[in-house]
Amino acid sequence: MENQRKVRHGRGLTRRGLLATSVALVAVSTLGAGVAVAAEPVKVAGIYTVPVEQQWVSRIHKAAETAQARGDIDYAFTENVSNTDYARVMREYAEKGYQLIIGEIFGAEQEAREVAADYPDIAFLLGSSFKEDPALANLAVFDNYIQDAAYLSGIIAGAMTKTGNIGMVGGFPIPEVNRLMNAFMAGAHEMNPEITFQVSFIGSWFDPPKAKETAFAMIEQGADVLYAERFGVSDAAQERNVLAIGNVIDTQADYPETVVASAIWHFEPTLDHAIAEVKAGTFKAADYGVYSFMAEGGSSLAPLGTFEGKVPEAALALVAEREAAIRAGTFSVEINDEEPKSS
């Protein structure tokens, strides 16, 4: 059964506030691609197909709340929007005068781009597996290119496995997932080229029970480290006393004896650049993926926390060496969007 769609408003966003903002925007002008410039906080709407607690979307939501706390934006969002309903919700926000609409359109690419074309004065920054279209000047795309951090977490995983067997549970084999898995696998092979991988996709972005059962099966097949691309995997690892590597968010506080390290996505550089472009009237079709790179502050390796002193020194030395080179631009992690396979 579909989740009931929920609409929430960010702090300070009331009907009275919306009216006040509308009055304040009489000085708005239009430049370049027709995206509005505003001296007042930018009105931003988030549209999400899953709950904002889901790890990937939570990073977008967190960045928007941070920008609102600074006074840069007024933020409202709708969660649990089905792909078939996505275009309609986009139109609703566009008609209400929101200046920047953010979200993810992996399952509604064509419909979402048609909506953007109908509102050339509104900026759209949307997660997508496809690139920007120069003919659609007001739609920019992004994706979480956190392969740098995923690679470093793979080095740690490669040093921690005793069986040489690592399980990997993903949502769907789309580019944004594939590139992280492939980078993780490359990092693990840096420590031990003989490591084997079990790879499975559960066909859902948010189905913790299914992810957990998939992880259990991998543990039964000898995996002693799990790559937790989805919620539910770390629960299985914790119950069976094996280790896990987190993705996008740091969950070690919830699994202190299980999650060794995590590749963290920071959406703030992506969103902050878009806000600046909207305010300057220079927002245009572009690929914002670069702002997820480690060198841009878009990703990082979470602190080891409870695993301080438990990760082999050789692995930590290699992580430090590679991270310094990544930030300096002298080492690049391969971006491989091909679907990863089990060994």
Side-chain angles (χ1 to χ4, degrees):
M1 180 179 295
E2 274 189 11
N3 289 323
Q4 183 177 4
R5 186 162 58 87
K6 297 179 182 178
V7 182
R8 302 185 193 174
H9 290 287
R11 291 188 299 274
L13 187 58
T14 63
R15 177 173 294 182
R16 181 175 296 176
L18 284 173
L19 291 173
T21 301
S22 297
V23 172
L25 291 179
V26 294
V28 168
S29 62
T30 300
L31 297 174
V35 177
V37 186
E40 297 296 318
V42 175
K43 291 178 61 178
V44 177
I47 309 173
Y48 310 120
T49 62
V50 294
V52 291
E53 289 79 16
Q54 189 260 12
Q55 64 262 50
W56 193 87
V57 161
S58 74
R59 307 308 289 176
I60 304 173
H61 183 63
K62 176 179 179 292
E65 289 194 316
T66 298
Q68 178 166 253
R70 292 196 309 259
D72 288 341
I73 68 173
D74 283 329
Y75 173 55
F77 66 96
T78 305
E79 59 188 342
N80 295 316
V81 178
S82 67
N83 288 326
T84 56
D85 207 26
Y86 205 92
R88 183 185 64 79
V89 179
M90 287 176 67
R91 289 186 186 279
E92 287 182 354
Y93 277 122
E95 289 294 332
K96 290 177 181 177
Y98 282 84
Q99 300 158 273
L100 173 62
I101 295 176
I102 59 177
E104 13 90 39
I105 57 170
F106 300 102
E109 292 279 355
Q110 180 176 344
E111 298 86 349
R113 290 171 186 261
E114 290 173 357
V115 173
D118 289 341
Y119 296 92
D121 293 342
I122 295 173
F124 294 85
L125 177 64
L126 301 171
S128 171
S129 293
F130 297 94
K131 295 300 183 181
E132 74 280 11
D133 180 358
L136 193 57
N138 62 323
L139 189 150
V141 298
F142 70 87
D143 215 337
N144 63 328
Y145 281 85
I146 63 169
Q147 65 282 342
D148 300 325
Y151 168 83
L152 297 180
S153 72
I155 292 175
I156 292 175
M160 297 299 286
T161 177
K162 294 181 173 61
T163 64
N165 186 326
I166 295 177
M168 307 183 70
V169 181
F172 294 91
I174 65 171
E176 69 136 349
V177 175
N178 296 345
R179 73 176 65 106
L180 305 189
M181 285 188 163
N182 284 318
F184 173 88
M185 295 164 81
H189 275 151
E190 286 267 22
M191 294 307 298
N192 180 1
E194 302 303 317
I195 287 175
T196 59
F197 299 93
Q198 300 178 59
V199 180
S200 184
F201 297 92
I202 63 172
S204 172
W205 291 130
F206 195 72
D207 191 343
K210 188 172 183 179
K212 185 177 181 180
E213 289 303 317
T214 302
F216 278 148
M218 291 178 172
I219 295 169
E220 291 172 3
Q221 293 298 316
D224 67 343
V225 175
L226 299 174
Y227 178 73
E229 200 272 325
R230 293 292 100 194
F231 277 160
V233 176
S234 295
D235 294 291
Q238 180 174 251
E239 289 185 23
R240 297 295 170 84
N241 295 312
V242 301
L243 301 177
I245 301 293
N247 179 59
V248 176
I249 62 175
D250 184 2
T251 57
Q252 193 183 77
D254 298 317
Y255 309 95
E257 303 304 318
T258 302
V259 175
V260 184
S262 299
I264 307 301
W265 184 29
H266 305 289
F267 191 68
E268 286 79 0
T270 303
L271 181 58
D272 290 351
H273 185 75
I275 293 168
E277 292 287 284
V278 170
K279 286 186 173 182
T282 54
F283 189 92
K284 59 184 180 298
D287 183 355
Y288 276 54
V290 65
Y291 298 107
S292 291
F293 285 22
M294 184 171 283
E296 296 288 339
S299 61
S300 68
L301 190 64
L304 293 177
T306 56
F307 281 85
E308 284 285 355
K310 300 177 183 179
V311 178
E313 286 298 325
L316 295 180
L318 182 57
V319 166
E321 176 187 337
R322 291 284 192 262
E323 181 173 351
I326 289 169
R327 293 186 183 280
T330 57
F331 180 84
S332 296
V333 176
E334 180 185 6
I335 298 175
N336 180 358
D337 288 346
E338 296 181 3
E339 181 177 343
K341 303 293 184 181
S342 297
S343 302

